[in-house]
Amino acid sequence: MRPERYDFAAAEPKWRKIWDERQVFTSGDAAKPKYYVLEMFPYPSGRIHVGHVRNYSMGDVIARYKRAMGFDVLHPMGWDAFGLPAENAAQQSGSHPATWTYANIASMRTQLKSMGLSLDWSREIATCDPAYYKHQQKLFLDFLAGGLVDRKQSKVNWDPVDHTVLANEQVVEGRGWRSGALVEQRELTQWFLRIGKYADDLLTSLDTLDRWPEKVRLMQRNWIGRSEGLLARFAIAGDPTGEIEVFTTRPDTLFGAKFVALAPDHPVARAAASSDPALAAFAEECRHIGTSVAAIETAEKKGYDTGLRVVHPFDPSWVLPVYVANFILMDYGTGAIFGCPAHDQRDLDFANAYGLGATPVVCPEGVDPATLIVSETAFDGEGRLVNSRFLDGLTVAEAKEEVAKRLETAQLHGRPQGERKINYKLRDWGISRQRYWGCPIPIIHCPDCGVVPVPDADLPVKLPEDVTFDKPGNPLDHHPTWKNVACPKCGAAARRETDTMDTFVDSSWYYARFTDPHNESAPAAPEQLSRWLPVDQYIGGIEHAILHLLYSRFFSRAIRDTGHGGVAEPFAGLFTQGMVVHETYRAASGKWVAPSELRFETGDKGRRAFLIEGGEEVAIGAIEKMSKSKRNTVDPDDIIASYGADTARLFVLSDSPPDRDVVWTEEGVQGAWRFVQRVYRLAGELANAAAPVGASAPAEFGAAALDVRKATHRTIAAVGDNIERLRFNTAIARIREYANELTAALDKVETVPVSADLAFAFREAADVFVQLIAPMTPHVAEECWSDLGHSEIVSLAPWPEADPTLVAQDMISLPVQVNGKKRAEILVAHDADEATIREEALTQEAVLRAMEGKPLKKFILVPKRIVNVVV
RNA sequence: GCGGACGUGGCGGAACCGGUAGACGCAAGGGACUUAAAAUCCCUCGGGCCAUGCCCAUGCGGGUUCGAUCCCCGCCGUCCGCACCA
């Protein structure tokens, strides 16, 4: 006897056990076409959060749907397991980072498994596993051999208390986020990956990623920041060899130049500062402002006249002053510019501060050059050149070309004075971190041989286990013996590189490792890479729009170009899902209160919240991103324990479009819960009226049976289309609509057993209904599928096919408008000719009334859409 | 400042290529069943009016069109990204 209510607590573990034992989700049937669906793998913080539930539920719907569509689906899971939190935990609790990390992985794996995700767990990887980072080290060495790695001095944010490098986002108001110490700018020798080599390819290939959000492509475009311009060299007056090279995108405005400005760290500026203490002090001041993001925003343009003068390239008698200025960046272009105040706002602000003047040299069409004055706002639009000697009358583009040509042929100090140049904002990727819990950089420093790669046979360079975290700085550096090693080349006493890699490196190739996760000799076999890559659908948060995705695109190219195989673009389809947000609650004391501590009432004064303990009323605040500090989080474990995984999955997929934020509400969860129960009930009711499994179709269908079948096939078509387009919320809405239709059809049944045609229609409906909901709520679907008499599980059932003849409507209802306002509705055959429709429309009482006896001016028929009568 | 996205009932949202605005759900109100509750089921649910019907309504103001949530112009508001990149 089937129970009245669905007991998720019994059913969910039962079905997961069956999936697990039968290895239903293991990929590798080469006879089928492949489909690779991947969600961004989690950092093992210890607990999954609702954001994970949403992310992985979406991926799972796609995986289950594609599997049912006959694809060999790769849907793996792993752990982004290196990173600073493990070291922080080690400092605080004394547990070793590895112990802490693997314990977290174990508990999160249990949590993820309780969600019923159709993952191939046999491919699980963790980036902190030597079996994984061994290949990462090999890739690094291959990149090094392939000219994709650089070692150079670079400025870093140095925390003098923690003895570590900080990322920009770890510097808060000029201080280290953890230590609170004033951050210093230090020059350190660091390892860099030369992502800049691929700048142009990474930029132009964005156009091919037509299944990426336009927003992400735009962000990457801006980040890469290509600009075409000219390098131009200015001779220093009175110095036979001295010169300053500037980069400009506006060579056309050269006759509007009023000054040259240098970054404080420009070599010429440093040289000048060495004999001018005031300039040295000014440069030092600039460096300090550079550390604070807030300061840059409000900083005034400031400069210091070095006293140097440079000669205008087109007029030996024209000299320009050379300033050191706080707004010039050393690491973009050449660290030097020429300033044209009339046509650049920054230059104008600077010129106004130092009385340098502004001569307009570009005049917009239709403006009299004589009246052209620039005082507060620079003009950066199009126009024709004025006040520019041989450039006068040319367009901006023509003038740029002319200046470039002339400077390319002009000579200064025996070299061409100008050179066309394409610049990128994208910098090479510094990967050195002075930390323990990361992938060791496989390099040995020998006093005689210099930088020596660790030989392949010695890989992986494993992290030592006996480390301490009681001292600030890098534990690898403090380790008594680990860094001492013989040089592989000459055998002399040498020292290991003690820096480890940025954790973004770990996540830049994990999608490739999943294709062949247990390969010991290579990151992945080329045939596995070509079998699975690119990832067909990648799903994750928008916060990775730039770095992770750009680094991965770079790695995929670098892996291919160092002979490992694979593809240029790792992610053919990208979807960025929205966050899960929640109301906030605050007591009168100002303390944040967790939703689990509250009870709610709805009355005359609207919705109110009270503490369960004590009954104090608390204020219901804004809906915000879930965060521990505001205590507005919900624990997936609690939800799954009280409602089951299917309810949690259904809720995060319903209501809101997947790319937008979804508000977590108790009412919404209960709505999902009710529907899970309804699925179970409805399947049971349908079963009672349905023909047995495999019953053959009767020759004829009556009206009632036909209506049910039409609803069935229309829903198959709609849900499939919605899932393909990742519109899970509308897919679920269609299924709920279908449930309403089936309930109504069952209500109409007067006699049991029903006629054979209706029984067939109900059998078909019951099966399809369960199959359509299965990707979202797989456990209850399996339970119902079994109750419906199927011997095989629904997870292995092929997706139902919509019969086009049943999807098409034979009678359609056409709205009839008079002068654009709807007045009536007519029911006509889908293939009715215009004359029939016209006759029907024009005899409608409401239409005639609206026409008020006026003569018909025009009759518009949009087939299958609408009729409009114009009078 | 620059770039982008978005504004639809009490709420989340739907509406395919310019063709019935408000699917589906949440909340609310009314009712049935019940000793009662839970669960379930049914009905109402954008606003207004001279209510068998009509008018207004997709942030605001214009425009194009037989017809505009959708296209164009101008405002207002919200959110996101970048932030002196020469």
Side-chain angles (χ1 to χ4, degrees):
Chain A
M1 189 58 197
R2 191 174 194 256
E4 289 259 317
R5 288 172 69 79
Y6 170 58
D7 180 5
F8 73 86
E12 291 194 347
K14 176 180 77 184
W15 290 109
R16 286 199 292 269
K17 187 154 175 272
I18 289 169
W19 296 331
D20 206 33
E21 283 169 358
R22 295 187 50 190
Q23 299 193 30
V24 175
F25 309 125
T26 306
S27 33
D29 182 350
K32 294 178 180 174
K34 71 96 181 179
Y35 193 91
Y36 187 177
V37 55
L38 182 67
E39 301 98 54
M40 290 179 182
F41 67 163
Y43 177 79
S45 59
R47 313 285 302 161
I48 65 169
H49 53 73
V50 194
H52 291 126
V53 174
R54 193 171 192 213
N55 188 194
Y56 300 139
S57 295
M58 289 179 191
D60 201 44
V61 170
I62 297 165
R64 287 176 180 272
Y65 169 74
K66 288 289 176 182
R67 216 174 272 118
M69 288 292 283
F71 288 89
D72 182 20
V73 170
L74 175 54
H75 187 213
M77 182 54 69
W79 312 97
D80 189 12
F82 272 138
L84 201 52
E87 287 187 58
N88 294 337
Q91 273 170 16
Q92 280 155 24
S93 70
S95 62
H96 191 277
T99 314
W100 183 86
T101 301
Y102 279 104
N104 285 350
I105 288 175
S107 63
M108 284 176 79
R109 187 193 297 115
T110 305
Q111 286 187 298
L112 285 184
K113 286 194 170 178
S114 73
M115 280 181 64
L117 302 170
S118 67
L119 292 163
D120 181 354
W121 283 102
S122 73
R123 291 178 186 255
E124 180 182 357
I125 55 177
T127 57
C128 64
D129 184 346
Y132 181 85
Y133 69 69
K134 166 184 165 179
H135 301 289
Q136 189 163 313
Q137 291 174 342
K138 177 71 167 97
L139 285 173
F140 176 87
L141 295 177
D142 289 346
F143 291 1
L144 180 64
L148 295 174
V149 177
D150 234 1
R151 187 163 184 257
K152 60 185 179 191
Q153 291 260 310
S154 155
K155 242 197 267 180
V156 296
N157 302 310
W158 179 259
D159 185 320
V161 172
D162 280 353
H163 292 258
T164 190
V165 167
L166 299 176
N168 284 334
E169 53 273 19
Q170 291 170 335
V171 181
V172 183
E173 288 175 7
R175 292 171 180 276
W177 67 291
R178 170 169 296 279
S179 69
L182 268 180
V183 168
E184 298 169 12
Q185 300 285 299
R186 272 212 192 172
E187 289 274 337
L188 276 189
T189 303
Q190 303 231 91
W191 290 98
F192 285 82
L193 295 182
R194 298 179 66 183
I195 190 172
K197 262 199 154 178
Y198 289 94
D200 196 51
D201 185 15
L202 289 169
L203 181 70
T204 55
S205 299
L206 285 171
D207 294 337
T208 68
L209 298 174
D210 54 355
R211 289 203 297 122
W212 278 43
E214 185 51 42
K215 178 187 168 81
V216 174
R217 291 194 282 171
L218 187 71
M219 282 163 74
Q220 293 214 351
R221 238 173 246 132
N222 292 338
W223 186 262
I224 295 168
R226 181 183 197 270
S227 61
E228 277 178 39
L230 190 73
L231 290 172
R233 293 151 67 226
F234 287 69
I236 295 176
D239 178 342
T241 57
E243 60 177 58
I244 291 170
E245 188 173 44
V246 304
F247 174 70
T248 179
T249 55
R250 295 298 302 273
D252 54 304
T253 63
L254 200 47
F255 286 104
K258 294 293 176 189
F259 63 93
V260 161
L262 308 175
D265 286 319
H266 192 279
V268 172
R270 283 183 182 263
S274 66
S275 58
D276 182 347
L279 173 54
F282 174 74
E284 192 54 34
E285 189 193 319
C286 293
R287 281 179 202 115
H288 278 296
I289 288 168
T291 56
S292 159
V293 177
I296 291 171
E297 286 174 31
T298 51
E300 276 178 48
K301 304 266 177 298
K302 281 188 188 169
Y304 183 95
D305 187 349
T306 59
L308 292 171
R309 295 294 177 263
V310 291
V311 182
H312 194 280
F314 291 131
D315 185 346
S317 67
W318 182 356
V319 293
L320 298 163
V322 177
Y323 282 79
V324 169
N326 63 349
F327 65 100
I328 307 301
L329 307 170
M330 188 58 223
D331 45 8
Y332 184 78
T334 60
I337 61 143
F338 81 78
C340 175
H343 303 291
D344 184 292
Q345 192 60 46
R346 295 158 303 181
D347 296 349
L348 183 62
D349 294 344
F350 188 77
N352 284 343
Y354 294 93
L356 301 173
T359 305
V361 291
V362 177
C363 182
E365 297 285 349
V367 174
D368 178 3
T371 66
L372 200 58
I373 297 168
V374 171
S375 55
E376 293 302 322
T377 308
F379 172 68
D380 60 2
E382 288 295 318
R384 290 197 181 263
L385 274 285
V386 293
N387 303 325
S388 294
R389 307 187 192 180
F390 55 82
L391 299 174
D392 283 353
L394 299 183
T395 64
V396 167
E398 288 162 354
K400 282 182 182 175
E401 183 59 30
E402 183 62 25
V403 170
K405 261 191 207 156
R406 288 194 183 221
L407 286 185
E408 275 171 337
T409 46
Q411 295 280 312
L412 178 68
H413 303 146
R415 285 197 296 129
Q417 191 157 14
E419 182 193 332
R420 289 171 217 252
K421 165 93 180 174
I422 294 166
N423 244 319
Y424 296 92
K425 282 195 249 180
L426 181 67
R427 316 270 164 78
D428 280 343
W429 174 16
I431 60 159
S432 296
R433 297 290 183 270
Q434 292 69 40
R435 285 175 196 145
Y436 168 73
W437 195 234
C439 172
I441 295 172
I443 289 293
I444 290 164
H445 299 279
C446 171
D448 297 324
C449 312
V451 167
V452 182
V454 172
D456 285 359
D458 295 344
L459 295 182
V461 176
K462 283 194 195 175
L463 289 168
E465 284 171 25
D466 52 334
V467 281
T468 54
F469 297 90
D470 47 359
K471 274 191 283 187
N474 183 353
L476 289 179
D477 207 27
H478 302 148
H479 193 279
T481 54
W482 184 77
K483 67 181 167 184
N484 301 323
V485 65
C487 170
K489 261 193 190 164
C490 70
R495 150 185 98 66
R496 281 193 194 284
E497 172 70 57
T498 56
D499 285 353
T500 53
M501 295 186 205
D502 180 3
T503 55
F504 271 115
V505 178
D506 311 337
S507 55
S508 291
W509 69 284
Y510 78 108
Y511 52 85
R513 182 66 179 170
F514 274 137
T515 68
D516 195 8
H518 308 300
N519 193 320
E520 288 179 20
S521 60
E527 61 271 21
Q528 293 300 331
L529 292 176
S530 61
R531 161 80 172 147
W532 292 109
L533 293 181
V535 173
D536 296 280
Q537 187 63 59
Y538 194 35
I539 309 172
I542 185 74
E543 66 273 19
H544 292 113
I546 297 176
L547 294 184
H548 164 61
L549 290 167
L550 197 58
Y551 292 156
S552 294
R553 297 179 63 217
F554 160 68
F555 247 78
S556 197
R557 286 166 168 77
I559 285 172
R560 179 199 57 187
D561 292 347
T562 49
H564 293 279
V567 296
E569 288 297 343
F571 312 122
L574 172 71
F575 187 83
T576 53
Q577 103 262 5
M579 292 186 298
V580 182
V581 294
H582 197 286
E583 269 179 344
T584 50
Y585 312 100
R586 207 163 193 178
S589 62
K591 275 189 185 154
W592 297 102
V593 181
S596 57
E597 297 169 1
L598 296 169
R599 70 181 166 78
F600 295 89
E601 277 178 19
T602 310
D604 301 342
K605 294 180 186 168
R607 204 163 142 270
R608 300 163 77 193
F610 301 90
L611 283 177
I612 293 169
E613 237 167 272
E616 182 202 338
E617 178 163 9
V618 305
I620 298 179
I623 294 169
E624 293 185 53
K625 177 180 179 174
M626 288 191 187
S627 73
K628 278 179 191 158
S629 61
K630 298 223 169 132
R631 304 197 64 205
N632 61 337
T633 56
V634 291
D635 186 345
D637 266 3
D638 294 346
I639 302 303
I640 291 172
S642 2
Y643 296 99
D646 285 343
T647 295
R649 295 168 56 121
L650 187 66
F651 173 72
V652 293
L653 295 170
S654 309
D655 297 343
S656 289
D659 54 345
R660 270 197 240 173
D661 291 352
V662 60
V663 185
W664 186 279
T665 62
E666 186 62 23
E667 291 80 11
V669 177
Q670 278 170 9
W673 158 259
R674 279 196 296 269
F675 190 65
V676 170
Q677 290 294 339
R678 188 169 170 210
V679 167
Y680 179 79
R681 257 193 333 268
L682 182 55
E685 286 162 19
L686 286 166
N688 291 337
V693 177
S696 53
E700 301 253 316
F701 289 98
L706 205 55
D707 279 350
V708 170
R709 295 203 69 204
K710 281 181 178 175
T712 299
H713 288 264
R714 271 204 306 274
T715 308
I716 295 172
V719 171
D721 181 58
N722 281 323
I723 294 178
E724 292 277 1
R725 291 159 60 193
L726 311 181
R727 307 195 33 161
F728 309 114
N729 57 325
T730 48
I732 291 167
R734 289 289 82 79
I735 293 172
R736 299 184 95 125
E737 207 171 13
Y738 182 45
N740 293 342
E741 290 167 333
L742 293 177
T743 305
L746 283 169
D747 281 350
K748 280 192 217 143
V749 170
E750 285 162 1
T751 54
V752 180
V754 300
S755 56
D757 62 336
L758 197 52
F760 179 87
F762 279 140
R763 159 56 56 184
E764 183 180 53
D767 288 354
V768 165
F769 178 65
V770 169
Q771 283 181 285
L772 294 185
I773 198 71
M776 292 85 169
T777 58
H779 307 89
V780 72
E782 289 289 8
E783 189 71 18
C784 293
W785 191 250
S786 158
D787 291 347
L788 283 168
H790 294 277
S791 51
E792 189 50 281
I793 56 177
V794 73
S795 296
L796 290 172
W799 196 252
E801 253 181 84
D803 179 344
T805 62
L806 289 167
V807 173
Q809 316 226 20
D810 33 285
M811 292 300 279
I812 52 177
S813 115
L814 276 185
V816 182
Q817 296 182 331
V818 178
N819 286 346
K821 290 198 173 185
K822 186 194 156 193
R823 298 297 176 183
E825 215 167 283
I826 55 173
L827 200 63
V828 295
H830 79 281
D831 55 356
D833 61 12
E834 177 157 352
T836 315
I837 293 171
R838 188 181 179 120
E839 168 69 24
E840 179 72 19
L842 293 179
T843 52
Q844 293 290 311
E845 198 185 319
V847 173
L848 290 169
R849 191 168 48 233
M851 287 171 74
E852 295 172 334
K854 291 176 195 158
L856 177 72
K857 218 157 105 190
K858 204 169 168 189
F859 183 85
I860 297 163
L861 169 66
V862 183
K864 299 187 182 182
R865 282 286 182 196
I866 206 163
V867 171
N868 196 4
V869 179
V870 187
V871 295

